[in-house]
Amino acid sequence: MDNKKKNSTIMGFFIVAVMFMLLYLVIPFTKRGASWTAFVFALVAIAVSCITTLYIFNKKDDDLKSKVYGLPILKLIYLYFCGQLLVSLMIIIIAAIVNIPAWLPLVLGIFLLGLTAIGFIAADNVRDVIIEQEKNDAMKVQQMLTFKLDASALIDASSDPTVKKAAEKFAEKLRYSDPVSSEGLAEIENSLSAKLNELAASIGGMSTDEALGQIDSLTKLLAERNRKCKALK
């Protein structure tokens, strides 16, 4: 979060806190123990909401997607914020008319704060798990994306029309192959990568039959990779 957004967030909650305090202290009404307890928990809700908002948008490694996943947490926090302010106002108004025990707003405040804390921890952990899983998934498809780029290089390096057509068919098979890699495929994918790079670098000096034989070998290796990929699922 840049300084402007950070300052705007802090200022917004500060204004709400100041307005609430001024209204509570300036308006002449009977202030009992329950009223003061409710008043304190309202200020706690404002402070917690401000700190949590800054936390959600201030993680150093967060990208836009991570912030979007943080929105349910903000929704939870703002529900707590509005709920606690509403409860505090109701207790303050009622306590000005009827003497209610101070433990009532205390119990309600602790209950709402505790419930929100549990929800925040759970939601934040879920967000981190989702983001980590998406990063892992992105890494798992990176190898196949590399293969597709290498296959494009192979097509560009092919000057013989027959060889180029065979290279295009191989690239098409790559396109429809399972994009997700795994540790069990590491050996065969490393072999495929090495042969693909080697062929792309030397195909220009090969005869048609030799180049077609190498592409056929790559196609069989890819088919073996895909069979193994299905077996590992």
Side-chain angles (χ1 to χ4, degrees):
M1 177 183 287
D2 56 42
N3 288 332
K4 182 178 180 180
K5 291 180 181 178
K6 182 177 180 180
N7 293 336
S8 297
T9 300
I10 295 173
M11 184 60 65
F13 282 105
F14 177 76
I15 291 172
V16 172
V18 169
M19 289 178 63
F20 184 80
M21 285 190 292
L22 287 176
L23 290 173
Y24 180 81
L25 297 173
V26 171
I27 298 175
F29 62 90
T30 304
K31 299 177 178 67
R32 298 187 172 93
S35 304
W36 285 104
T37 304
F39 172 71
V40 169
F41 271 102
L43 296 182
V44 168
I46 294 171
V48 168
S49 300
C50 180
I51 293 170
T52 305
T53 302
L54 294 174
Y55 168 79
I56 293 299
F57 288 102
N58 205 40
K59 281 193 172 183
K60 291 182 180 179
D61 59 344
D62 273 2
D63 53 13
L64 178 60
K65 185 178 291 185
S66 176
K67 289 177 172 60
V68 170
Y69 286 141
L71 292 180
I73 305 176
L74 289 179
K75 183 178 179 180
L76 169 68
I77 293 300
Y78 292 150
L79 282 174
Y80 163 68
F81 171 74
C82 295
Q84 181 60 68
L85 284 185
L86 182 61
V87 169
S88 293
L89 285 172
M90 289 178 62
I91 290 176
I92 290 171
I93 292 171
I94 295 172
I97 303 171
V98 180
N99 188 15
I100 42 181
W103 60 263
L104 181 60
L106 178 64
V107 170
L108 288 174
I110 292 174
F111 175 76
L112 289 174
L113 183 60
L115 199 64
T116 303
I118 293 172
F120 169 80
I121 293 170
D124 195 44
N125 287 338
V126 168
R127 179 181 75 149
D128 289 342
V129 168
I130 292 174
I131 293 169
E132 186 63 30
Q133 184 62 47
E134 289 198 346
K135 288 180 180 178
N136 291 336
D137 290 344
M139 292 178 63
K140 288 178 180 178
V141 301
Q142 186 61 45
Q143 182 63 73
M144 290 302 289
L145 290 175
T146 301
F147 284 156
K148 291 174 183 178
L149 292 174
D150 292 340
S152 296
L154 180 63
I155 295 171
D156 293 337
S158 306
S159 57
D160 188 306
T162 304
V163 175
K164 184 180 287 289
K165 186 174 181 180
E168 289 173 349
K169 287 184 177 180
F170 172 73
E172 189 72 10
K173 290 182 182 295
L174 266 174
R175 179 183 175 187
Y176 291 106
S177 296
D178 192 321
V180 180
S181 299
S182 65
E183 292 183 5
L185 300 173
E187 183 178 350
I188 193 169
E189 287 183 344
N190 289 338
S191 178
L192 183 61
S193 177
K195 290 185 177 182
L196 184 55
N197 290 330
E198 182 182 349
L199 180 58
S202 59
I203 196 170
M206 292 182 177
S207 66
T208 300
D209 290 341
E210 187 179 5
L212 290 176
Q214 291 291 329
I215 294 174
D216 183 61
S217 177
L218 282 173
T219 302
K220 290 177 180 178
L221 193 60
L222 176 62
E224 182 183 347
R225 180 263 177 198
N226 291 339
R227 285 193 297 271
K228 192 171 184 180
C229 185
K230 287 182 180 180
L232 291 173
K233 287 188 179 283

